[in-house]
């Protein structure tokens, strides 16, 4: 009986230890997240945009954008696994179609990797993103990127695109982000 009581006490102790470890991890994450946000706020200091060198190219980041611009302003990289994959796969002279080019994070990287003999076709339906993409291309004097303001799909039709405060989360599918509007987009 005493052995069973001791086993139960050990089990309760393990549960308490696991809880404390999880709580400590959660608090550490919260601390790092808050510290990251404070760094971002310090970057703003009355500016709407900053220019930053990212993955070898200059990018103008809209600091009002809560999505990719915020991530790049803070971390200097987006989706590290995909970024590293692209760095390994794209070679001088390659042709790339970048569907959903957004502000140009990948298109600029692809352009630099493919070089002057390569060609990048950047597809982006949202005008504000297209304008930012074109500004970033000019900022780097890249001549091998051709921008198309359009959406590509299986059938030609007009579809509502959900607009969010995250420039890289505009989508035909509601991903649960706070939607601030919608636009009719022609799909070709």
């Amino acid at each position: 009986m005493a052995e069973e009581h001791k086993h139960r006490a050990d089990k309760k102790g393990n549960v308490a230890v696991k809880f404390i470890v999880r709580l400590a991890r959660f608090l550490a994450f919260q601390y790092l997240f808050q510290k990251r946000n404070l760094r971002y706020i310090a970057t703003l200091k009355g500016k709407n945009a900053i220019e930053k060198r990212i993955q070898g190219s200059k990018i103008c980041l809209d600091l009002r954008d809560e999505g990719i611009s915020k991530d790049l302003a803070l971390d200097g990289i987006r989706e590290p696994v995909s970024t590293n994959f692209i760095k390994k796969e794209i070679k001088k002279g390659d042709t790339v179609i970048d569907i959903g080019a957004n502000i140009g994070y990948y298109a600029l990287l692809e352009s630099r990797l493919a070089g002057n003999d390569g060609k990048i076709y950047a597809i982006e339906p949202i005008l504000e993103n297209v304008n930012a993409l074109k500004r970033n291309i000019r900022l780097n004097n890249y001549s091998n990127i051709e921008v198309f303001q359009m959406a590509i799909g299986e059938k030609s039709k007009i579809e509502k695109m959900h607009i969010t405060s995250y420039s890289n989360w505009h989508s035909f599918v509601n991903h649960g982000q706070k939607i601030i509007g919608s636009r009719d987009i022609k799909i070709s």
Side-chain angles (χ1 to χ4, degrees):
M1 191 70 160
E3 190 65 33
E4 183 180 318
H5 181 69
K6 182 181 176 192
H7 177 70
R8 239 187 259 147
D10 285 346
K11 202 172 186 180
K12 285 181 184 176
N14 286 339
V15 170
V17 168
K18 286 179 185 177
F19 173 76
I20 291 170
V21 168
R22 285 186 180 148
L23 180 61
R25 285 182 185 153
F26 173 77
L27 292 173
F29 173 78
Q30 289 297 314
Y31 170 76
L32 292 173
F33 184 74
Q34 290 299 328
K35 188 175 177 183
R36 182 177 186 263
N37 282 337
L38 289 174
R39 259 193 354 243
Y40 182 67
I41 290 167
T43 305
L44 291 174
K45 298 249 176 161
K47 299 177 188 174
N48 286 335
I50 60 169
E51 186 181 298
K52 190 169 180 180
R53 184 166 290 283
I54 296 173
Q55 300 298 316
S57 299
K58 292 183 252 176
I59 299 182
C60 183
L61 302 171
D62 181 348
L63 297 175
R64 296 164 296 184
D65 171 25
E66 298 177 37
I68 190 169
S69 291
K70 180 178 180 181
D71 290 343
L72 292 175
L74 290 171
D75 304 324
I77 191 167
R78 176 85 175 145
E79 301 167 332
V81 172
S82 296
T83 298
N84 290 329
F85 176 79
I86 286 171
K87 284 178 171 180
K88 285 190 279 185
E89 291 300 314
I90 296 181
K91 308 290 184 242
K92 296 284 183 204
D94 280 357
T95 298
V96 179
I97 301 172
D98 186 343
I99 299 174
N102 199 261
I103 66 171
Y105 172 75
Y106 287 115
L108 297 173
L109 175 62
E110 293 156 352
S111 171
R112 196 173 54 74
L113 295 169
N116 291 333
D117 292 333
K119 187 71 176 175
I120 312 305
Y121 296 100
I123 314 296
E124 173 57 45
I126 301 297
L127 180 61
E128 294 84 354
N129 290 342
V130 167
N131 290 337
L133 170 60
K134 287 179 177 179
R135 181 175 54 246
N136 288 327
I137 293 167
R138 284 191 307 272
L139 194 58
N140 291 281
N141 295 314
Y142 290 156
S143 59
N144 63 344
I145 304 175
E146 194 170 341
V147 178
F148 296 89
Q149 184 184 351
M150 62 186 295
I152 293 179
E154 185 179 343
K155 293 187 241 181
S156 289
K157 60 183 174 178
I158 294 179
E159 191 80 32
K160 280 215 180 301
M161 179 168 275
H162 303 290
I163 306 299
T164 73
S165 59
Y166 295 68
S167 71
N168 55 310
W169 276 86
H170 306 325
S171 177
F172 293 114
V173 178
N174 183 349
H175 293 286
Q177 294 289 344
K178 182 181 172 197
I179 296 171
I180 58 173
S182 66
R183 294 189 191 156
D184 287 337
I185 301 290
K186 184 175 188 273
I187 301 172
S188 299

